[in-house]
Amino acid sequence: MSDPRVCLFVGTHPLPGQTFVNRHIEHMFGGNTCVISTDAASGENPYGKAIHNLSASRDRGLAALLALPERLRNQARFGTSHVPFGRGKEALRRFIREERVDIVLCEFGSRIAKIAPLAAEMDVPCYAYFRGRDATEELRKPRRLRGYRNLLPLLDGIFAVSEFLLQELAAAGLTHPNAHVVPSGVDIRRFRPGDKTPRSCVMVGRMVEKKSPLTTLRAFADATQGMPDAHLQVIGDGPLLAPTKALAAELGVTDRVTFEGALPHDRVREALARSEVFLQHSVVGPSGDAEGLPTAIQEALACGCIVVSTRHAGIPEAVDHGVNGWLSEEHDLAGFTDQLHRALSGDQSGMTRAARATAEARFDNDVLLRRVETELRRAVTAHRNGAGRGRNAMPPQT
């Protein structure tokens, strides 16, 4: 069969930081894609795709008021009243028909209510991709659990970036017979080791509680006592940036820590290529938000960085303790400090090679994209042959 036309259901578009989503939009099935977004960030269309903006076609005023009974039914069944209805639903249906969409991939599980019911009505196969918060923090919300229980049977299958996320869903009583673990992956041809600067460290990510930048900075200060050549590059922005800068001054390490703020992806790649050690002290956030399998860790491995991180979420599925990195428990400052000291001591060339080999074997996004495409193509064929939703599904894969 020819490549099917896939519609990517996303949130705000375009969003440069969502490299995994943007890669799907640009490359899935050779670029035979279109986009449904819940909102348009700027009106830009960097990939030249047909785009349907849900927020622009919603019913408002009297029409929205008259649809109140339907919205309440959606709230009761799917956990949200934001399921498209009325004029918005018909505009969405028309877009799917006019674009000759063969299959829908919802890039975040928390948004499936906005597309899965209509896809089921139209007999268009539909998948969801769980990536982190949608299978951790969201499970604490009774309405979300209720919605997932009614929505998952409408899907042909689900993907998750880590086995951890599937286990979190299962612990909440949410399973699907056609579930696949496929990490987001990294372009291992672009993310490659460069000339490493001795005792160079880098941390990349939003400066939020889930990333524990204050703990990371304290560990760096403690682990590098007596190492005046050690340096930490901090890339990212967020609410904890100012407190982290203040802590650097308090600890007397401002001469060995550079705060870059948010940087373009190419600059991040350059920083990873020349750094010996990548730091990420991930923890479960106060709201229950957890990682899936951080893309930054996969990129760091591809660049031959020794990863010092935590036994959190899907991270142990990428970082083999003592082989390509070192792991501590969450919130264990002493343990994290000890692992960082190990990473900065002695000849670590073997771990650098192991990190790169891990990325090549497990996280090549060309290989992972083909795995997703194979499953989506199978579902389209099943529907065309009358097998329909939920039937003739492949067994779960990891």
Side-chain angles (χ1 to χ4, degrees), residues 64-65 67-83 85 146:
L65 185 62
L68 182 60
E70 182 174 356
R71 294 169 63 190
L72 291 175
R73 284 194 296 270
N74 287 334
Q75 178 70 44
R77 184 179 180 191
F78 300 126
T80 176
S81 62
H82 293 163
V83 180
F85 61 89
R146 182 174 69 251

mmCIF file of all heavy atoms in Angstrom, residues 64-65 67-83 85 146:
data_model
loop_
_atom_site.group_PDB
_atom_site.id
_atom_site.type_symbol
_atom_site.label_atom_id
_atom_site.label_comp_id
_atom_site.label_asym_id
_atom_site.label_seq_id
_atom_site.Cartn_x
_atom_site.Cartn_y
_atom_site.Cartn_z
ATOM 1 N N ALA A 64 -22.839 28.086 21.778
ATOM 2 C CA ALA A 64 -22.192 27.375 22.880
ATOM 3 C C ALA A 64 -23.167 27.158 24.032
ATOM 4 O O ALA A 64 -23.166 26.098 24.668
ATOM 5 C CB ALA A 64 -20.975 28.152 23.357
ATOM 6 N N LEU A 65 -24.023 28.151 24.272
ATOM 7 C CA LEU A 65 -25.006 28.036 25.343
ATOM 8 C C LEU A 65 -26.012 26.930 25.039
ATOM 9 O O LEU A 65 -26.359 26.127 25.915
ATOM 10 C CB LEU A 65 -25.721 29.372 25.539
ATOM 11 C CG LEU A 65 -26.705 29.447 26.708
ATOM 12 C CD1 LEU A 65 -25.976 29.213 28.026
ATOM 13 C CD2 LEU A 65 -27.405 30.801 26.725
ATOM 14 N N ALA A 67 -25.523 24.357 23.375
ATOM 15 C CA ALA A 67 -24.864 23.048 23.414
ATOM 16 C C ALA A 67 -24.517 22.614 24.831
ATOM 17 O O ALA A 67 -23.848 21.586 25.027
ATOM 18 C CB ALA A 67 -23.592 23.084 22.569
ATOM 19 N N LEU A 68 -24.987 23.365 25.833
ATOM 20 C CA LEU A 68 -24.640 23.041 27.217
ATOM 21 C C LEU A 68 -24.978 21.598 27.599
ATOM 22 O O LEU A 68 -24.146 20.930 28.237
ATOM 23 C CB LEU A 68 -25.330 24.025 28.163
ATOM 24 C CG LEU A 68 -25.020 23.840 29.659
ATOM 25 C CD1 LEU A 68 -23.511 23.990 29.902
ATOM 26 C CD2 LEU A 68 -25.803 24.844 30.493
ATOM 27 N N PRO A 69 -26.131 21.054 27.228
ATOM 28 C CA PRO A 69 -26.405 19.648 27.590
ATOM 29 C C PRO A 69 -25.369 18.679 27.023
ATOM 30 O O PRO A 69 -24.935 17.751 27.718
ATOM 31 C CB PRO A 69 -27.790 19.402 26.987
ATOM 32 C CG PRO A 69 -28.423 20.748 26.939
ATOM 33 C CD PRO A 69 -27.306 21.688 26.599
ATOM 34 N N GLU A 70 -24.953 18.900 25.776
ATOM 35 C CA GLU A 70 -23.945 18.020 25.186
ATOM 36 C C GLU A 70 -22.608 18.177 25.888
ATOM 37 O O GLU A 70 -21.903 17.193 26.132
ATOM 38 C CB GLU A 70 -23.778 18.313 23.690
ATOM 39 C CG GLU A 70 -22.784 17.393 22.994
ATOM 40 C CD GLU A 70 -22.724 17.594 21.500
ATOM 41 O OE1 GLU A 70 -23.504 18.408 20.973
ATOM 42 O OE2 GLU A 70 -21.889 16.933 20.858
ATOM 43 N N ARG A 71 -22.262 19.390 26.236
ATOM 44 C CA ARG A 71 -21.006 19.620 26.938
ATOM 45 C C ARG A 71 -21.009 18.937 28.298
ATOM 46 O O ARG A 71 -19.989 18.378 28.729
ATOM 47 C CB ARG A 71 -20.757 21.119 27.086
ATOM 48 C CG ARG A 71 -20.530 21.830 25.750
ATOM 49 C CD ARG A 71 -20.553 23.334 25.895
ATOM 50 N NE ARG A 71 -19.473 23.822 26.739
ATOM 51 C CZ ARG A 71 -19.377 25.068 27.172
ATOM 52 N NH1 ARG A 71 -20.318 25.955 26.857
ATOM 53 N NH2 ARG A 71 -18.366 25.441 27.919
ATOM 54 N N LEU A 72 -22.138 18.964 28.980
ATOM 55 C CA LEU A 72 -22.240 18.291 30.279
ATOM 56 C C LEU A 72 -22.134 16.775 30.129
ATOM 57 O O LEU A 72 -21.518 16.097 30.963
ATOM 58 C CB LEU A 72 -23.558 18.669 30.964
ATOM 59 C CG LEU A 72 -23.660 20.128 31.433
ATOM 60 C CD1 LEU A 72 -25.058 20.414 31.975
ATOM 61 C CD2 LEU A 72 -22.604 20.439 32.491
ATOM 62 N N ARG A 73 -22.712 16.237 29.048
ATOM 63 C CA ARG A 73 -22.578 14.792 28.794
ATOM 64 C C ARG A 73 -21.119 14.435 28.528
ATOM 65 O O ARG A 73 -20.620 13.409 29.004
ATOM 66 C CB ARG A 73 -23.454 14.379 27.606
ATOM 67 C CG ARG A 73 -24.937 14.279 27.916
ATOM 68 C CD ARG A 73 -25.692 13.558 26.818
ATOM 69 N NE ARG A 73 -25.637 14.294 25.554
ATOM 70 C CZ ARG A 73 -26.528 15.212 25.192
ATOM 71 N NH1 ARG A 73 -27.540 15.525 26.013
ATOM 72 N NH2 ARG A 73 -26.428 15.834 24.028
ATOM 73 N N ASN A 74 -20.437 15.273 27.766
ATOM 74 C CA ASN A 74 -19.023 15.023 27.505
ATOM 75 C C ASN A 74 -18.197 15.091 28.791
ATOM 76 O O ASN A 74 -17.280 14.285 28.998
ATOM 77 C CB ASN A 74 -18.487 16.044 26.498
ATOM 78 C CG ASN A 74 -18.984 15.791 25.088
ATOM 79 O OD1 ASN A 74 -19.316 14.662 24.739
ATOM 80 N ND2 ASN A 74 -19.055 16.837 24.283
ATOM 81 N N GLN A 75 -18.544 16.055 29.643
ATOM 82 C CA GLN A 75 -17.840 16.179 30.914
ATOM 83 C C GLN A 75 -18.018 14.913 31.752
ATOM 84 O O GLN A 75 -17.070 14.401 32.359
ATOM 85 C CB GLN A 75 -18.369 17.391 31.682
ATOM 86 C CG GLN A 75 -17.747 17.595 33.056
ATOM 87 C CD GLN A 75 -16.304 18.046 32.986
ATOM 88 O OE1 GLN A 75 -15.967 18.919 32.200
ATOM 89 N NE2 GLN A 75 -15.448 17.456 33.799
ATOM 90 N N ALA A 76 -19.244 14.398 31.767
ATOM 91 C CA ALA A 76 -19.525 13.199 32.562
ATOM 92 C C ALA A 76 -18.824 11.969 32.005
ATOM 93 O O ALA A 76 -18.315 11.131 32.753
ATOM 94 C CB ALA A 76 -21.031 12.966 32.615
ATOM 95 N N ARG A 77 -18.757 11.860 30.678
ATOM 96 C CA ARG A 77 -18.199 10.657 30.067
ATOM 97 C C ARG A 77 -16.696 10.729 29.872
ATOM 98 O O ARG A 77 -15.970 9.772 30.164
ATOM 99 C CB ARG A 77 -18.876 10.398 28.721
ATOM 100 C CG ARG A 77 -18.412 9.106 28.065
ATOM 101 C CD ARG A 77 -19.112 8.859 26.748
ATOM 102 N NE ARG A 77 -18.642 7.616 26.141
ATOM 103 C CZ ARG A 77 -18.920 7.236 24.884
ATOM 104 N NH1 ARG A 77 -19.695 8.010 24.127
ATOM 105 N NH2 ARG A 77 -18.460 6.096 24.417
ATOM 106 N N PHE A 78 -16.212 11.865 29.370
ATOM 107 C CA PHE A 78 -14.811 11.964 28.969
ATOM 108 C C PHE A 78 -13.947 12.820 29.898
ATOM 109 O O PHE A 78 -12.765 13.009 29.657
ATOM 110 C CB PHE A 78 -14.712 12.517 27.549
ATOM 111 C CG PHE A 78 -15.409 11.669 26.521
ATOM 112 C CD1 PHE A 78 -16.367 12.221 25.674
ATOM 113 C CD2 PHE A 78 -15.120 10.318 26.403
ATOM 114 C CE1 PHE A 78 -17.014 11.443 24.716
ATOM 115 C CE2 PHE A 78 -15.756 9.529 25.456
ATOM 116 C CZ PHE A 78 -16.703 10.090 24.618
ATOM 117 N N GLY A 79 -14.566 13.373 30.947
ATOM 118 C CA GLY A 79 -13.797 14.142 31.904
ATOM 119 C C GLY A 79 -13.493 15.557 31.476
ATOM 120 O O GLY A 79 -12.738 16.268 32.146
ATOM 121 N N THR A 80 -14.053 16.004 30.353
ATOM 122 C CA THR A 80 -13.835 17.365 29.878
ATOM 123 C C THR A 80 -15.008 17.784 28.996
ATOM 124 O O THR A 80 -15.603 16.955 28.304
ATOM 125 C CB THR A 80 -12.530 17.478 29.067
ATOM 126 O OG1 THR A 80 -12.409 18.812 28.551
ATOM 127 C CG2 THR A 80 -12.492 16.492 27.913
ATOM 128 N N SER A 81 -15.323 19.056 29.035
ATOM 129 C CA SER A 81 -16.361 19.591 28.153
ATOM 130 C C SER A 81 -15.767 20.107 26.855
ATOM 131 O O SER A 81 -16.487 20.641 26.011
ATOM 132 C CB SER A 81 -17.110 20.731 28.860
ATOM 133 O OG SER A 81 -16.225 21.809 29.153
ATOM 134 N N HIS A 82 -14.475 19.957 26.659
ATOM 135 C CA HIS A 82 -13.787 20.502 25.491
ATOM 136 C C HIS A 82 -13.775 19.547 24.307
ATOM 137 O O HIS A 82 -12.970 19.702 23.393
ATOM 138 C CB HIS A 82 -12.359 20.900 25.861
ATOM 139 C CG HIS A 82 -12.295 22.050 26.815
ATOM 140 N ND1 HIS A 82 -11.173 22.362 27.543
ATOM 141 C CD2 HIS A 82 -13.235 22.957 27.174
ATOM 142 C CE1 HIS A 82 -11.421 23.421 28.298
ATOM 143 N NE2 HIS A 82 -12.662 23.795 28.089
ATOM 144 N N VAL A 83 -14.631 18.556 24.319
ATOM 145 C CA VAL A 83 -14.793 17.702 23.147
ATOM 146 C C VAL A 83 -15.479 18.543 22.063
ATOM 147 O O VAL A 83 -16.498 19.190 22.332
ATOM 148 C CB VAL A 83 -15.654 16.471 23.486
ATOM 149 C CG1 VAL A 83 -15.819 15.571 22.265
ATOM 150 C CG2 VAL A 83 -15.041 15.696 24.639
ATOM 151 N N PHE A 85 -17.853 20.089 19.400
ATOM 152 C CA PHE A 85 -19.284 19.890 19.177
ATOM 153 C C PHE A 85 -19.757 20.945 18.193
ATOM 154 O O PHE A 85 -19.056 21.914 17.884
ATOM 155 C CB PHE A 85 -20.069 20.001 20.492
ATOM 156 C CG PHE A 85 -19.941 21.355 21.145
ATOM 157 C CD1 PHE A 85 -20.814 22.390 20.846
ATOM 158 C CD2 PHE A 85 -18.923 21.599 22.060
ATOM 159 C CE1 PHE A 85 -20.686 23.630 21.428
ATOM 160 C CE2 PHE A 85 -18.785 22.853 22.661
ATOM 161 C CZ PHE A 85 -19.665 23.867 22.342
ATOM 162 N N ARG A 146 -11.597 8.995 34.730
ATOM 163 C CA ARG A 146 -12.890 8.636 34.143
ATOM 164 C C ARG A 146 -12.839 8.771 32.626
ATOM 165 O O ARG A 146 -13.321 7.900 31.886
ATOM 166 C CB ARG A 146 -13.979 9.546 34.723
ATOM 167 C CG ARG A 146 -15.389 9.244 34.219
ATOM 168 C CD ARG A 146 -16.415 10.089 34.941
ATOM 169 N NE ARG A 146 -16.347 11.507 34.600
ATOM 170 C CZ ARG A 146 -15.919 12.464 35.419
ATOM 171 N NH1 ARG A 146 -15.502 12.159 36.644
ATOM 172 N NH2 ARG A 146 -15.909 13.731 35.032
#
